[in-house]
Amino acid sequence: VQAIAALLAWMLARAGLSKRRALLTVLALAAAYACFTGAQPPVVRAVLMIAAYAGAFLFYRSQDPLSTLAAAALAILAWSPGDLFLPGFQLSFLAVLALVTLYPTLEAAWLVWRGLPEAWIVDPEEQPRLRWERRIRRACFVSLAAWAGTAPAVAWHMGNFTLPSLATNLVAVPLSMFGMAASAVGMLPGLGAAAGVFNLPFDLLLGLNRFVAAFSWASIDVPAPSVPVCLAYAGVMSWAWLGRAQSATAPRLALMLPTAFLALAAGLFFRAAPEAPRVTVLDLSRGRAALVETPAGEAALIDAGGEGQGPRIAESLRRQGLRALAILVITEDEPETLGGVRELLDRMEIRRAVLPRANAPSAALRALETELARRGIPYGPPDFSADLRGPGDIRWSFGSDAPPGEAPGSGSEALAVRVGLAGSSVLFAHARSSEGLKRLLANHARMLEAQALRIVPGDDGHWPAETALLLARSGARTVVAGEGGSFPEDGTGLDLSALCASKGLRWLAPRREGSLRLGERGALVVEAFRNGRWEAAP
């Protein structure tokens, strides 16, 4: 945004406007742009910095980048303090802070290391080569500074390092600028038919992103760095800026910066594995998913969330140091379980898949089967007559609410899954209909006993009356109910909350409590993820 504003100010000045009028015009257009884009923190930050720079000139004050950045941050946080914790706010301000502090450090260290001031080179034949070298060097230093400045936030929120960014930024930043300029031109009347031409920079940008992301080495998955590691990282960056070309010389920077990056990834080697197998019911805004972990660091996943949840699940797993799933179980041919599976496949290694039966699968399930076959991943329906083992000592038992015999039609089977831990078990079941629950209770009664029951309702949150029979048959003392953004007590039919209260059962919902972790410490322990840490569930 600032680059476009600078370009626009230069064009207005060339058109004959005074610098004062040009800056006022740019400021008005920048403010309008911020309103049109929903006043997101990165855009507001850019507009406030433009306003501070323009205000400094208009009121005859000196222009200081750090003061301008601080003023923009204070203005945003005074209006919305919660923005401080948003990834967009942190990435935006850290990137600019790095450009203001770390980039000059790199440039000064380079010039001192070269030992020859560029101002001394006056040969006309050397000047063109010198200008190109300077542009390339500065572009590389800008890319390195932005990458280094945002690395802690990227590792914290996204769970990875994107190694090719140092090179791709050299192309991505100009493409973004050209794309914004082309979009502005494309908004002029009569140019709607040429929208494809104006979208070309963004098409190229997305194509570059997909091409680079296809390589396995494009990113390194890392767990969220600890607060002391982030503070140490900030200390190295502050030392580099304060030292500048004195203590922060080129050789020392070449040693200290990679060391800081390695410190951020140190959590890879110190990930605390669970003491015993555990199950985590993830809190998702759409769909449902649950993670099964073993003390050996292996994992499995039950369902993949709704549409758009795949990246969120993958990032959560990577932050815990998990890069592969031994088993992926899809319990139902429905968007709530299949919506995020394709994005999950692109981000996580999956070694085996268990799918519901269907003689006429949905398009989503067919696409999943095709992709699994293409990747050489074994898949198929479960064996209802025998338990499945792995990873580690995890034991899987499967049931179905479909009629016995041939494979049912699309969406007419929901798998019940019993996960056996070291000394306890968790049952995943669906209360889709009275008939389905009756079939499940009649045909698979042997595998329904469990210490905890994870249950989801039928269409529109309806709880059939037979849900009480399933609850009694399981013998569960902890009930986790509901899915996505819904509360279980908002459903119709059986009053499940009243039933649990009358029987003295623990009644929990991910929508209310957050992600729920069920593990063993001699007995089944239930924890809820609140305020950034695991606490005992109510």
Side-chain angles (χ1 to χ4, degrees):
V1 176
Q2 292 172 352
I4 295 295
L7 177 62
L8 183 59
W10 177 82
M11 293 173 60
L12 292 174
R14 298 282 291 183
L17 268 70
S18 66
K19 188 172 182 179
R20 183 176 295 271
R21 291 183 177 179
L23 288 175
L24 289 173
T25 303
V26 168
L27 184 57
L29 292 175
Y33 177 77
C35 295
F36 291 152
T37 55
Q40 296 298 312
V43 180
V44 174
R45 185 265 308 159
V47 173
L48 289 175
M49 291 190 69
I50 292 170
Y53 263 81
F57 175 82
L58 296 174
F59 292 98
Y60 306 104
R61 309 297 295 178
S62 61
Q63 297 166 323
D64 177 62
L66 276 178
S67 299
T68 302
L69 184 65
L74 289 174
I76 294 175
L77 295 178
W79 178 263
S80 179
D83 286 353
L84 177 64
F85 304 101
L86 296 179
F89 180 94
Q90 295 175 11
L91 291 171
S92 176
F93 276 90
L94 285 175
V96 177
L97 180 63
L99 296 180
V100 172
T101 58
L102 189 55
Y103 165 72
T105 299
L106 295 171
E107 182 73 11
W110 170 271
L111 294 177
V112 171
W113 179 68
R114 286 296 302 271
L116 177 65
E118 294 181 348
W120 292 4
I121 303 176
V122 295
D123 188 345
E125 295 182 358
E126 290 290 322
Q127 285 293 325
R129 179 186 62 80
L130 184 63
R131 282 194 297 269
W132 277 108
E133 287 181 355
R134 187 185 301 117
R135 290 170 182 169
I136 295 174
R137 182 186 73 240
R138 289 178 175 175
C140 292
F141 284 168
V142 164
S143 178
L144 176 59
W147 185 63
T150 57
V154 172
W156 180 275
H157 293 288
M158 303 176 188
N160 59 33
F161 281 146
T162 51
L163 296 178
S165 294
L166 289 173
T168 56
N169 283 346
L170 302 178
V171 180
V173 172
L175 282 177
S176 299
M177 289 179 55
F178 291 144
M180 292 181 64
S183 298
V185 175
M187 293 174 64
L188 297 177
L191 295 179
V197 176
F198 299 118
N199 286 336
L200 182 60
F202 292 117
D203 292 338
L204 293 174
L205 182 61
L206 292 174
L208 173 67
N209 186 34
R210 294 191 185 100
F211 173 77
V212 175
F215 294 99
S216 59
W217 48 264
S219 66
I220 299 177
D221 297 334
V222 296
S226 64
V227 173
V229 169
C230 290
L231 293 176
Y233 187 93
V236 172
M237 298 301 160
S238 300
W239 165 83
W241 173 55
L242 295 174
R244 296 219 231 327
Q246 300 170 15
S247 60
T249 60
R252 291 181 181 178
L253 288 175
L255 176 64
M256 294 299 295
L257 293 180
T259 302
F261 296 145
L262 291 176
L264 285 180
L268 281 172
F269 309 102
F270 301 102
R271 176 179 178 265
E275 298 177 0
R278 66 189 181 195
V279 175
T280 304
V281 179
L282 302 179
D283 174 24
L284 301 178
S285 59
R286 291 183 298 278
R288 55 186 178 271
L291 176 67
V292 182
E293 298 175 89
T294 73
E298 298 177 294
L301 191 71
I302 302 174
D303 294 328
E307 183 178 358
Q309 297 299 298
R312 180 181 176 187
I313 295 172
E315 289 172 5
S316 175
L317 301 185
R318 288 202 302 263
R319 287 188 61 186
Q320 299 180 61
L322 298 172
R323 301 186 186 86
L325 295 172
I327 301 175
L328 170 65
V329 178
I330 300 296
T331 61
E332 194 177 10
D333 185 7
E334 292 292 341
E336 289 78 12
T337 63
L338 285 167
V341 71
R342 181 56 187 269
E343 294 138 331
L344 185 67
L345 272 171
D346 292 337
R347 292 165 171 81
M348 297 288 296
E349 177 189 351
I350 297 176
R351 297 169 185 155
R352 180 177 181 177
V354 176
L355 308 178
R357 300 171 299 165
N359 57 25
S362 66
L365 184 56
R366 289 198 305 272
L368 173 59
E369 293 175 340
T370 300
E371 185 63 20
L372 291 172
R374 187 185 71 82
R375 296 172 183 252
I377 301 173
Y379 70 92
D383 184 354
F384 298 112
S385 62
D387 289 350
L388 174 68
R389 287 190 173 271
D393 294 330
I394 301 295
R395 302 177 309 280
W396 304 78
S397 302
F398 296 93
S400 171
D401 65 355
E406 297 182 359
S410 174
S412 59
E413 176 178 72
L415 297 178
V417 183
R418 182 180 183 273
V419 180
L421 307 177
S424 59
S425 56
V426 181
L427 175 65
F428 293 80
H430 301 256
R432 303 196 306 168
S433 65
S434 295
E435 294 75 13
L437 283 174
K438 290 177 182 178
R439 288 191 291 265
L440 179 65
L441 290 165
N443 300 325
H444 302 281
R446 70 171 185 85
M447 53 82 61
L448 297 181
E449 293 183 2
Q451 280 72 39
L453 172 63
R454 165 64 168 134
I455 188 168
V456 294
D459 294 339
D460 300 323
H462 181 74
W463 297 102
E466 286 72 14
T467 306
L469 299 178
L470 175 63
L471 193 63
R473 182 68 185 84
S474 70
R477 305 304 301 171
T478 297
V479 179
V480 179
E483 66 176 340
S486 65
F487 291 101
E489 58 267 30
D490 294 337
T492 60
L494 177 72
D495 189 342
L496 192 57
S497 61
L499 177 63
C500 291
S502 67
K503 294 182 177 296
L505 305 181
R506 176 182 285 177
W507 162 258
L508 302 168
R511 177 69 176 86
R512 180 170 47 244
E513 312 297 344
S515 293
L516 294 165
R517 190 163 69 189
L518 300 90
E520 293 178 301
R521 294 174 190 165
L524 190 69
V525 175
V526 184
E527 297 175 304
F529 191 73
R530 294 176 169 180
N531 303 318
R533 64 181 182 272
W534 291 100
E535 303 173 347

